[in-house]
Amino acid sequence: MPTCSEARSSLISLLRGVEHFNTEVFPAKESLFADLADGQSPGALFIACADSRINPNLITQTEPGDLFILRNIGNIVPAYGEMLGGVSSAIEYAVLGLGVSSIIVCGHSDCGAMKALMAPEKAGLDKMPTVASWLRNAEAARASLGDFNAEDAGPATVRSLSEQNVLLQIAHLRTHPAVAAGLARGTLYLQGWFYDIGSGVISILDEQSRKTVSIADTITRLEKAEETA
């Protein structure tokens, strides 16, 4: 836990960042923010983990207004009806209110939520009952890995669980009425990503094969589909 002095210094650092934004960043993008002041029309809903190392706009090279971002512990989407609340309402609003055409679920390497799912005692979930309850929405992903010794689990196991979790949350997304309707009309795409923090590489998770596909191969496939549409 931080000391009082460390907490105060952290807050001062944030405020100095705001000062820099007000004096340097905002003036350079004033026309963009002037347009955004009248409304938003993002093209995608981006569902990411709350992990501080994940920056959706940075990794997609997008500007403010391009992404409708939903973040939570473990990039989780409860199945419709399980936990109606902030996540389900954000999905519904993104699809029906904003008309997004894509929904991305992005998992990542070294995910603390996945580590806690594998070793709840080690993660101290007994002291975090709300987190423990939330992670039950990812239990099926853990079960898909079969039996393993959590103490011996390394980065590869964490990655495997993170990928299975993304695929599980994509399946949960399909249970949401607004999403199901968009998919039926062909106006909505769902895609699962895995982001490796150390290398910066993002891979696409194919639902059918349950394997990763490169960004380049995915773009080629989508472009061919566009040509034949």
Side-chain angles (χ1 to χ4, degrees):
M1 297 293 287
T3 64
C4 259
S5 177
E6 289 170 338
R8 186 164 50 249
S9 294
S10 177
L11 181 55
I12 290 171
S13 178
L14 289 178
L15 293 172
R16 294 211 182 280
V18 174
E19 277 188 330
H20 177 71
F21 172 78
N22 287 336
T23 59
E24 302 292 335
V25 178
F26 183 86
K29 294 180 176 287
E30 193 166 357
S31 60
L32 169 63
F33 289 110
D35 291 338
L36 292 176
D38 296 325
Q40 62 171 325
S41 56
L45 166 60
F46 197 97
I47 302 174
C49 184
D51 192 296
S52 63
R53 297 167 292 179
I54 314 304
N55 186 324
N57 288 115
L58 182 63
I59 64 177
T60 58
Q61 288 295 281
T62 50
E63 293 280 9
D66 292 337
L67 300 177
F68 191 67
I69 299 173
L70 171 61
R71 305 186 67 161
N72 61 53
I73 301 296
N75 42 269
I76 283 172
V77 178
Y80 188 76
E82 290 295 317
M83 288 183 171
L84 291 178
V87 173
S88 52
S89 62
I91 292 167
E92 187 173 82
Y93 179 67
V95 176
L96 299 181
L98 298 176
V100 300
S101 56
S102 302
I103 302 180
I104 307 299
V105 178
C106 183
H108 66 94
S109 60
D110 194 46
C111 181
M114 297 303 101
K115 290 180 178 179
L117 200 59
M118 291 190 298
E121 299 83 5
K122 186 176 180 180
L125 287 189
D126 57 322
K127 298 177 182 177
M128 294 183 280
T130 308
V131 176
S133 176
W134 178 249
L135 289 179
R136 291 192 190 106
N137 293 291
E139 276 293 341
R142 187 190 189 285
S144 71
L145 296 185
D147 294 328
F148 63 89
N149 187 341
E151 294 300 320
D152 297 332
T157 307
V158 175
R159 172 170 184 154
S160 182
L161 180 54
S162 295
E163 292 176 347
Q164 292 303 315
N165 179 56
V166 167
L167 292 169
L168 174 63
Q169 306 316 319
I170 290 283
H172 287 172
L173 263 173
R174 294 180 181 278
T175 69
H176 288 248
V179 174
L183 293 172
R185 291 192 302 267
T187 57
L188 185 66
Y189 284 90
L190 303 184
Q191 204 167 74
W193 294 7
F194 178 84
Y195 170 47
D196 185 272
I197 296 171
S199 68
V201 174
I202 293 175
S203 303
I204 309 302
L205 296 167
D206 182 76
E207 285 188 86
Q208 279 68 47
S209 67
R210 304 187 75 80
K211 295 180 180 179
T212 57
V213 182
S214 72
I215 293 282
D217 287 346
T218 303
I219 290 173
T220 298
R221 178 175 56 80
L222 288 171
E223 287 178 338
K224 285 182 178 179
E226 182 65 21
E227 290 171 1
T228 58

